[in-house]
Amino acid sequence: MSAVEFRNIDIVFGSQQKRALALIDEGRTRDQILAETGAVLGAAGVSLKIERGEICVLMGLSGSGKSTILRAINRLNEVARGEVIVEHRGKAIDVAHCDEETLRDIRMHTVSMVFQQFGLLPWRTVRDNVGFGLELRGTPLAERNRIVDEKLAMVGLTNWAGKYTHELSGGMQQRVGLARAFATDADILLMDEPFSALDPLIRDKLQDELLDLQKRIQKTIVFVSHDLDEALKLGNTIAIMEGGRIVQAGTAEDILLRPANAYVAEFVKHMNPLNVLRGTAVMRPAASLTREGDSVVLDKHGRVRVKVDGENRPIALELDGRSGIMAAADGDAGVIDDQRAQEADCIVAPVDLRLKAAIELKRHTDLPILLVDNLGRLAGLCDDDEIYRGLLRRLDG
Amino acid sequence: MYDWITAHKIPLGLWLKNFVDLLTEHGQAFFDFVSLVLGNLITGLTAALLFVPPLLLIGFFAVAAWFVHRSVGLVVFIVGALLLVTNLGYWQATIETLSLVLCATLVCVVIGVPIGIAAAHRPWLYTAIRPILDLMQTIPTFVYLIPTLVLFGLGAVPGLISTVIFSIPAPIRLTHLGISSVPPNLYEAGKAFGATKRQLLFKVELPYALPTIMAGITQCIMLSLSMVVIAALVGADGLGKPVVRALNSVNIAMGFEAGLAIVVLAIVLDRVCKRPERPSKKS
């Protein structure tokens, strides 16, 4: 079961819902619907699955409907048609049509939210703001204080508990917002452009902190952003929206390498691919390399070959008949021990090696890089040609 | 044409009189009950305040003001002002006026704040009551003084009712303003964490609107105070009485002193009711 699933939802703002829905079915655009009915199309035909523990970024320009569908997850926006399934206490609940009691239970226990303008209550101290959700839930004071202290420590605001929110900087205020969302221990966090109101340095820092926290808490995070860099940095999956519709959903690489249409292509044109692309996206797959018996030919002239075992794991390197040395690299950082690099003739790295790390390795050693999957099996080859191709973002075929 | 128009007078006044007659006929028990409750409220409060020796009460006011505002200047001013009123011989009248104003304000708040909240939640309701509020504030006081006299008899109660009619629009309007200016994101924050309608009201809307509602109450007190002379005309005790008497006997000295006492009381109430400076809000 996915943590959140949109099933073909339409969201319409305005009184003429029925007529607007009919027009959506006719495939009219947002402008046509607005002109004819006065209703604003918020989202149309959106279907999306968000798996447990992942960060899903809803991406798009303002007015594309990304916040609109985010708010359907806790029914701050009503859905005109379709279902919004949320996993709540082990059951799949349709938030769009559940009763008030269930909705309230979901809001108190399963889904919490961080707002762009923080949404903090100015007459409350930091402590009372963080405890707000618990207070609504009726948690006894002692337990509330214990949880609040824990969450304040988590976001590094322990010394600010007694201050009022206006005494804090923007970045700190949003940390309060984060702590408040964490305090209810909800499994699903909705983040509506939480870092957009902050200056770039603070934004970057909070993004890092969020990724760091996510490693520990493993929540399902639905994150709205209009900033592609932010989306690519945070998102396990990214859904790009335009005019109330999802135009493409997939991993960062998918979107970068295989834009679904001109709109997405334009969107990602100016992206720096180094941090996004991984070995899998650029490598020449092992299957397409020439095989001779139990060895795979790595270069054009057949002078460099790698011997593989029955499981397809590289075991030995052959250079013009003499045996070469393979050295393993740390895939994350793109570093290799200098001493070993001197002696080696080939580098073995994990297949999810980032392109940036691959270039770093090539610059250091000028050796071909063999990519292996997590079981050690040969996955592909990443050499100059593949790297250049990746940078130019051209794919075979 | 002109003659025809004047000859066929629309009996507006008569209709209203008949309406009031109808009320007196069928609702007398109700109006008597209201009259009794409000009358006892005012006389009770007045008697309680007068039971305390004046100097002790002044001291009590000073201490209370100190705890609310922590301002030496204000305390000195209050003590000085009240001593001046005592010196002029208007202590009892001042207390009577004070209890009339406090009772009127209490009634205004009890009725006005809920109406303001309801109006903020239902735009149609506000559209409906706005002309009535305008009417209540613009229609000359004497006009509704007559029916209130008929309905509630002579004394403090018709004065109180007239005062309430005149000053209740202030808390209604300002409560409406305060509640409807709650920023949508605070509202959504409440809803997103599962607040019920009641929790939204008490934990988000009212705290946010409190400064505005307090301003409404302060205004209400000031408006009530401006009605003391009118209230005196229908027999309410207090500082209005010497003013009316001075007017009838062309007594400049008495009129000036009583008028001064009203002004002093107004300033004291205004300063006391002003909320202590709160940290400014940054959105």
Side-chain angles (χ1 to χ4, degrees):
Chain A
M1 175 166 37
S2 309
V4 179
E5 184 182 352
F6 296 107
R7 286 188 190 156
N8 217 359
I9 60 161
D10 299 316
I11 296 175
V12 177
F13 300 109
S15 50
Q16 303 229 28
Q17 302 250 335
K18 281 223 173 85
R19 273 186 64 199
L21 288 178
L23 292 177
I24 291 175
D25 291 339
E26 286 173 26
R28 304 291 186 86
T29 65
R30 171 185 276 185
D31 290 340
Q32 287 169 329
I33 293 172
L34 179 65
E36 212 158 306
T37 65
V40 176
L41 174 67
V46 170
S47 292
L48 182 68
K49 278 186 181 182
I50 298 162
E51 298 304 330
R52 211 183 304 181
E54 77 173 8
I55 301 183
C56 174
V57 181
L58 305 175
M59 244 321 280
L61 302 176
S62 53
S64 60
K66 50 196 188 324
S67 284
T68 307
I69 67 166
L70 179 87
R71 281 150 187 269
I73 299 175
N74 61 357
R75 208 154 111 189
L76 287 182
N77 283 346
E78 293 284 346
V79 167
R81 198 168 51 180
E83 295 171 339
V84 182
I85 308 294
V86 165
E87 185 190 345
H88 172 59
R89 300 188 190 281
K91 279 187 295 195
I93 307 276
D94 179 10
V95 178
H97 301 101
C98 67
D99 57 73
E100 284 292 321
E101 211 35 56
T102 316
L103 175 65
R104 197 168 166 248
D105 200 47
I106 289 175
R107 285 172 170 177
M108 283 191 300
H109 293 99
T110 302
V111 179
S112 68
M113 190 160 179
V114 182
F115 296 84
Q116 180 178 11
Q117 295 300 335
F118 318 140
L120 302 175
L121 308 176
W123 57 90
R124 284 171 172 245
T125 59
V126 167
R127 163 179 294 285
D128 290 345
N129 264 294
V130 174
F132 181 59
L134 300 169
E135 188 183 319
L136 294 179
R137 206 199 256 182
T139 311
L141 186 65
E143 193 189 342
R144 202 158 83 206
N145 278 336
R146 183 184 61 74
I147 296 173
V148 169
D149 285 337
E150 183 189 314
K151 304 302 169 190
L152 281 175
M154 200 159 125
V155 296
L157 286 179
T158 302
N159 295 330
W160 296 79
K163 300 278 188 211
Y164 285 90
T165 51
H166 69 267
E167 297 172 86
L168 274 60
S169 67
M172 283 169 150
Q173 290 191 36
Q174 194 54 298
R175 284 203 189 122
V176 178
L178 283 172
R180 178 175 68 177
F182 291 142
T184 59
D185 204 28
D187 290 327
I188 299 165
L189 292 179
L190 308 182
M191 303 201 168
D192 191 359
E193 304 207 25
F195 306 145
S196 300
L198 307 172
D199 63 69
L201 279 178
I202 303 286
R203 192 187 311 157
D204 210 50
K205 186 149 182 282
L206 279 180
Q207 288 165 355
D208 290 337
E209 286 179 17
L210 180 65
L211 282 175
D212 222 43
L213 278 172
Q214 172 65 356
K215 273 185 200 145
R216 278 190 281 150
I217 57 182
Q218 291 290 320
K219 305 276 186 196
T220 306
I221 298 176
V222 190
F223 194 105
V224 165
S225 177
H226 60 252
D227 175 1
L228 191 64
D229 285 302
E230 184 171 68
L232 295 173
K233 179 172 176 183
L234 297 176
N236 302 112
T237 58
I238 297 169
I240 296 194
M241 296 192 68
E242 188 208 0
R245 294 176 163 90
I246 291 184
V247 288
Q248 187 172 9
T251 62
E253 277 178 357
D254 271 344
I255 285 166
L256 217 54
L257 294 173
R258 287 172 284 276
N261 62 14
Y263 179 79
V264 181
E266 184 63 31
F267 221 109
V268 299
K269 204 167 83 182
H270 305 291
M271 257 315 297
N272 176 0
L274 288 185
N275 286 320
V276 179
L277 293 184
R278 290 171 185 276
T280 29
V282 298
M283 71 184 183
R284 183 176 308 211
S288 70
L289 295 169
T290 322
R291 263 194 103 121
E292 287 176 6
D294 60 351
S295 55
V296 178
V297 180
L298 297 184
D299 70 339
K300 272 181 230 151
H301 315 290
R303 289 202 294 255
V304 186
R305 294 151 182 266
V306 63
K307 253 203 167 103
V308 293
D309 64 7
E311 293 288 319
N312 223 7
R313 284 185 289 241
I315 41 174
L317 193 66
E318 249 177 63
L319 296 159
D320 269 340
R322 75 180 170 88
S323 73
I325 299 170
M326 295 190 290
D330 171 2
D332 249 6
V335 236
I336 189 162
D337 187 62
D338 269 349
Q339 186 65 38
R340 300 196 58 193
Q342 291 268 320
E343 297 163 354
D345 303 292
C346 173
I347 295 171
V348 179
V351 75
D352 61 353
L353 180 77
R354 283 183 194 276
L355 193 55
K356 191 178 179 181
I359 292 173
E360 198 67 24
L361 282 172
K362 283 296 287 184
R363 192 178 69 83
H364 248 78
T365 64
D366 205 25
L367 298 171
I369 303 169
L370 281 182
L371 297 173
V372 293
D373 64 16
N374 50 6
L375 293 175
R377 295 176 302 201
L378 182 65
L381 171 71
C382 180
D383 211 340
D384 295 339
D385 201 31
E386 286 75 23
I387 290 174
Y388 295 149
R389 215 195 303 254
L391 285 175
L392 294 171
R393 240 177 285 154
R394 253 193 245 128
L395 287 168
D396 297 303
Chain B
M1 186 67 185
Y2 174 80
D3 289 335
W4 184 83
I5 293 175
T6 47
H8 298 83
K9 180 174 179 292
I10 306 168
L12 268 181
L14 193 68
W15 290 343
L16 207 80
K17 178 186 173 294
N18 288 342
F19 176 65
V20 174
D21 284 348
L22 202 75
L23 285 182
T24 19
E25 225 170 278
H26 298 283
Q28 198 55 56
F30 170 74
F31 291 111
D32 284 349
F33 175 73
V34 173
S35 185
L36 187 74
V37 171
L38 292 179
N40 283 338
L41 189 68
I42 298 175
T43 41
L45 185 61
T46 313
L49 290 176
L50 285 176
F51 178 75
V52 186
L55 292 183
L56 191 65
L57 198 60
I58 292 175
F60 174 75
F61 285 153
V63 171
W66 169 253
F67 273 106
V68 178
H69 293 274
R70 308 260 161 198
S71 151
V72 180
L74 183 71
V75 171
V76 170
F77 171 75
I78 288 175
V79 171
L82 292 179
L83 284 177
L84 174 68
V85 169
T86 317
N87 172 264
L88 293 174
Y90 288 121
W91 175 254
Q92 185 178 346
T94 303
I95 291 300
E96 283 161 359
T97 292
L98 183 67
S99 70
L100 180 69
V101 166
L102 290 182
C103 287
T105 306
L106 180 73
V107 173
C108 285
V109 169
V110 168
I111 300 174
V113 171
I115 290 181
I117 293 171
H121 289 161
R122 300 167 189 78
W124 61 265
L125 181 61
Y126 190 63
T127 319
I129 63 172
R130 217 168 56 190
I132 302 175
L133 297 182
D134 290 338
L135 188 75
M136 286 160 80
Q137 287 193 304
T138 45
I139 197 166
T141 324
F142 291 103
V143 175
Y144 54 77
L145 211 53
I146 312 162
T148 43
L149 256 182
V150 173
L151 293 174
F152 298 98
L154 218 59
V157 177
L160 179 84
I161 299 286
S162 305
T163 307
V164 167
I165 292 175
F166 181 66
S167 27
I168 203 170
I172 294 180
R173 277 185 219 276
L174 281 156
T175 305
H176 170 264
L177 175 71
I179 299 279
S180 44
S181 60
V182 173
N185 67 340
L186 294 189
Y187 208 75
E188 284 192 338
K191 284 213 279 190
F193 284 96
T196 57
K197 285 213 168 80
R198 207 188 156 78
Q199 285 175 324
L200 272 181
L201 179 64
F202 283 102
K203 291 188 190 285
V204 177
E205 293 176 303
L206 282 179
Y208 184 86
L210 194 63
T212 321
I213 295 176
M214 287 308 291
I217 294 175
T218 311
Q219 255 190 41
C220 181
I221 292 176
M222 290 301 124
L223 290 171
S224 304
L225 202 59
S226 71
M227 287 287 286
V228 287
V229 177
I230 309 276
L233 281 178
V234 289
D237 291 325
L239 288 168
K241 256 195 175 158
V243 174
V244 173
R245 220 180 302 136
L247 182 66
N248 289 337
S249 57
V250 202
N251 186 338
I252 297 176
M254 189 205 231
F256 179 76
E257 284 175 4
L260 183 71
I262 295 178
V263 172
V264 164
L265 185 62
I267 297 175
V268 168
L269 284 176
D270 181 58
R271 291 299 125 86
V272 170
C273 292
K274 237 185 219 144
R275 276 175 68 79
E277 276 300 301
R278 235 174 52 142
S280 64
K281 282 190 291 284
K282 211 169 65 176
S283 60

